[in-house]
Amino acid sequence: MLTRKQHELLLFIHERMKESGIPPSFDEMKEALDLASKSGIHRLITALEERGFIRRLPNRARALEVLRLPDSIAPGLNSARKFSPSVIQGSLGQPAKDTRKPQIASNDDDAGAAVSIPVMGRIAAGVPIDAIQHKTHSISVPPEMLSGGEHYALEVRGDSMIEAGIFDGDTVIIRNGNTATPGDIVVALVDDEEATLKRFRRRGASIALEAANPAYETRIFGPDRVKVQGRLVGLIRRY
């Protein structure tokens, strides 16, 4: 039996991971549940973990995996099949023919075939590094991770987005585009020469690139200095 707040938090984590493939940050959870501090979120997460609804991934700060949902939300789901988390385990850097099956995160026998997308180099989740490179190789991803439009992948270097569930060594899936809504995690090109993965915000007429790690400061730029190169739609992690 879950309390109302435990129930709300579990649903929020589940819905966010369905939408973006990554768990929400503690700040986002606090705001969603209208709590005064992060300590309340810690207690709720511990309670959900003790009851077997979620699991904290070892050696991964703030990374969560939803194991099951209450039967009142999805009757029969937990007994019929184990809930599949949105984080995909893959074998990055391998030829597509070797990675096609491991990267399909579905228990359905009629799931669609994996889709090959290009990996365009590395992106900094920290201090910006060189701009996006040319295609290095391709990876196969489940079609349900993709929406309409063109997509590409980038290998993450750095730890500035760990509270958004994005870690050094992850591969992020990006939908190509030059617009973003405040709150989106985007690939931002600064001064046409530095690329970084950050949360997009607006500060008046300026653009703020916000980290998800208190060790990093939010960087503010004039609107002519930042170009959005795409929006995060999912990620692949290798253990």
Side-chain angles (χ1 to χ4, degrees):
M1 183 71 176
L2 297 180
T3 67
R4 181 174 61 85
K5 286 295 186 183
Q6 291 166 1
H7 190 276
E8 290 177 1
L9 181 60
L10 180 61
L11 277 185
F12 179 66
I13 295 171
H14 171 57
E15 292 299 326
R16 179 59 62 87
M17 291 184 70
K18 281 203 308 182
E19 291 173 2
S20 65
I22 57 177
S25 68
F26 275 37
D27 282 327
E28 290 170 330
M29 290 186 244
K30 179 172 70 71
E31 290 179 9
L33 271 68
D34 195 26
L35 296 180
S37 69
K38 294 182 185 178
S39 61
I41 296 297
H42 281 282
R43 288 193 294 271
L44 291 172
I45 286 177
T46 299
L48 288 172
E49 187 175 31
E50 290 175 348
R51 288 161 174 78
F53 288 96
I54 65 173
R55 179 171 71 94
R56 279 182 271 207
L57 302 179
N59 303 317
R60 300 284 185 175
R62 304 291 191 270
L64 302 173
E65 179 178 292
V66 178
L67 300 176
R68 66 188 181 95
L69 297 174
D71 288 336
S72 60
I73 299 174
L77 174 64
N78 300 318
S79 59
R81 62 181 183 180
K82 185 178 182 294
F83 174 72
S84 294
S86 297
V87 175
I88 311 302
Q89 297 187 37
S91 300
L92 304 182
Q94 300 298 320
K97 62 183 177 64
D98 293 332
T99 61
R100 187 171 300 272
K101 288 186 177 180
Q103 291 176 350
I104 299 177
S106 174
N107 292 326
D108 294 329
D109 293 336
D110 58 350
V115 178
S116 180
I117 64 173
V119 178
M120 303 300 292
R122 295 176 178 176
I123 185 75
V127 179
I129 56 174
D130 290 343
I132 301 170
Q133 305 166 9
H134 59 278
K135 174 181 175 181
T136 59
H137 59 282
S138 296
I139 59 172
S140 296
V141 301
E144 58 266 26
M145 291 184 71
L146 309 179
S147 53
E150 296 182 353
H151 295 76
Y152 61 91
L154 293 166
E155 296 175 352
V156 175
R157 291 292 177 267
D159 62 356
S160 76
M161 298 302 290
I162 57 174
E163 289 197 0
I166 304 171
F167 305 103
D168 184 67
D170 286 348
T171 292
V172 289
I173 309 301
I174 306 296
R175 182 181 180 184
N176 193 24
N178 58 10
T179 61
T181 300
D184 286 346
I185 296 176
V186 303
V187 173
L189 189 62
V190 180
D191 295 331
D192 288 324
E193 62 182 19
E194 296 178 326
T196 189
L197 186 73
K198 291 290 182 293
R199 196 175 297 280
F200 179 87
R201 303 286 190 190
R202 290 198 179 275
R203 300 282 179 87
S206 299
I207 291 175
L209 299 181
E210 180 182 278
N213 182 336
Y216 293 82
E217 295 182 352
T218 297
R219 305 181 72 200
I220 310 295
F221 300 94
D224 58 334
R225 295 184 60 192
V226 177
K227 295 178 181 178
V228 173
Q229 303 284 284
R231 179 174 61 85
L232 176 74
V233 296
L235 65 81
I236 296 173
R237 177 168 299 149
R238 179 177 62 189
Y239 293 97

